[in-house]
Amino acid sequence: MKFGYARVSGLSQDLEQQKQQLIDHDVPEENIYAEKFTGTTEQRPEWQKLYKQLRKGDEVVFTKVDRIGRSVKVAIDIVNDLLDKGVKVYIIQLNNHVNRSDFMGKMSFNFLTIMAEFEHDMIVDRLAQGKAYAKAHNPNYHEGRPKRTITNRYKAVYEYSLDHSIRETALATGVSESTVKRIKRQVRQEGLNNN
C-alpha cells in the first residue's frame, strides 16, 4: 500500500502544496498523513499513526528529505528503520527510492539530510542574531509571545482541565496541549478575575 507524509513546522505554514505533490505521485488522498509539528523529534502524532500502520512491502512517499526530520540523525534513523521493516521510501526531491546498496543514492540522501540540518541551524542562528540586535537597540523589546488576557474561553479550558488530562482537554476544546499548559500556568499565576 502507498502512503504519503507531509509536515510543516509552523502553525501559519500551509500543507496543501505538499499534499498535492503526494497526490501527483499517486498517493491516495486518504492515505496522506499531514501535520504541523517540528521535525526535530520522532514523537509526532500523525507520523506515529502512519508508522503503526506500515507493513512490509508498503511504500511511504515524502516530498523532501527535511520533511522526514530536520536533523541528520533523526532522518537517517527513520529511513533505516523503515527499510529494516521492508518498507520502501520514496523522496520526490530525489526522484527516487532510498536504496542503501546504491552508493550514489545513499550519498544523495545523506547530503540532503546534512543540508537540511545546516539550513535549520542557519535559521536558528539568524533568529538569535536578530533577537540580540533587538535587545541591544530597542528598549521596548520583549522576548516571546505577549501575555494574553484570560478570556472566558481560557477560563472554560482551565475549568475543564481540572477534571481531565492535558490531552483530553486539548481534544475537547480544540486548542493545542501546549496552549492548555500555558493557560493553566497563567490562570494559576493571575487567578480567574481577569476578563
Side-chain angles (χ1 to χ4, degrees):
M1 195 172 280
K2 200 169 193 175
F3 296 91
Y5 178 73
R7 181 188 61 77
V8 291
S9 300
L11 292 174
S12 62
Q13 292 174 295
D14 188 15
L15 286 158
E16 291 311 309
Q17 186 180 7
Q18 287 182 58
K19 287 181 182 177
Q20 190 55 56
Q21 283 182 280
L22 294 169
I23 290 166
D24 291 346
H25 280 77
D26 301 321
V27 179
E29 195 167 356
E30 64 273 14
N31 285 358
I32 294 174
Y33 289 75
E35 62 191 329
K36 298 185 177 189
F37 213 86
T38 180
T40 55
T41 175
E42 293 177 54
Q43 304 306 313
R44 295 168 256 155
E46 289 301 306
W47 170 250
Q48 292 299 318
K49 281 185 205 170
L50 171 55
Y51 181 80
K52 286 173 186 169
Q53 282 203 62
L54 295 171
R55 301 292 177 264
K56 186 175 182 179
D58 287 343
E59 179 179 0
V60 184
V61 181
F62 299 92
T63 56
K64 293 169 68 179
V65 169
D66 66 0
R67 300 305 87 197
I68 303 170
R70 276 290 190 185
S71 80
V72 174
K73 182 180 184 326
V74 168
I76 289 174
D77 285 352
I78 287 173
V79 168
N80 282 334
D81 187 36
L82 292 172
L83 296 175
D84 288 344
K85 282 180 71 164
V87 175
K88 293 176 273 189
V89 177
Y90 186 88
I91 301 170
I92 295 170
Q93 180 186 30
L94 289 173
N95 197 29
N96 211 342
H97 288 93
V98 177
N99 184 347
R100 285 184 291 203
S101 61
D102 171 39
F103 173 75
M104 286 306 290
K106 187 176 179 181
M107 188 175 78
S108 297
F109 173 73
N110 288 344
F111 174 74
L112 287 171
T113 55
I114 290 167
M115 289 307 295
E117 184 170 339
F118 174 73
E119 181 185 3
H120 178 259
D121 290 347
M122 290 293 288
I123 290 167
V124 170
D125 186 53
R126 282 196 297 270
L127 286 171
Q129 287 178 17
K131 284 180 184 177
Y133 181 86
K135 280 181 188 176
H137 295 88
N138 181 354
N140 299 319
Y141 175 79
H142 175 73
E143 193 168 338
R145 241 188 298 208
K147 190 176 278 189
R148 295 183 181 169
T149 303
I150 300 173
T151 62
N152 287 333
R153 181 166 186 237
Y154 274 27
K155 290 177 186 178
V157 170
Y158 175 76
E159 286 166 1
Y160 190 90
S161 74
L162 296 175
D163 299 315
H164 299 85
S165 71
I166 298 289
R167 183 170 181 75
E168 287 168 342
T169 304
L171 289 170
T173 59
V175 299
S176 69
E177 291 183 30
S178 61
T179 299
V180 175
K181 290 175 188 173
R182 184 170 49 74
I183 289 170
K184 290 186 77 164
R185 196 167 47 246
Q186 188 176 343
V187 170
R188 283 187 195 125
Q189 289 170 353
E190 298 180 24
L192 281 169
N193 298 322
N194 209 345
N195 285 318

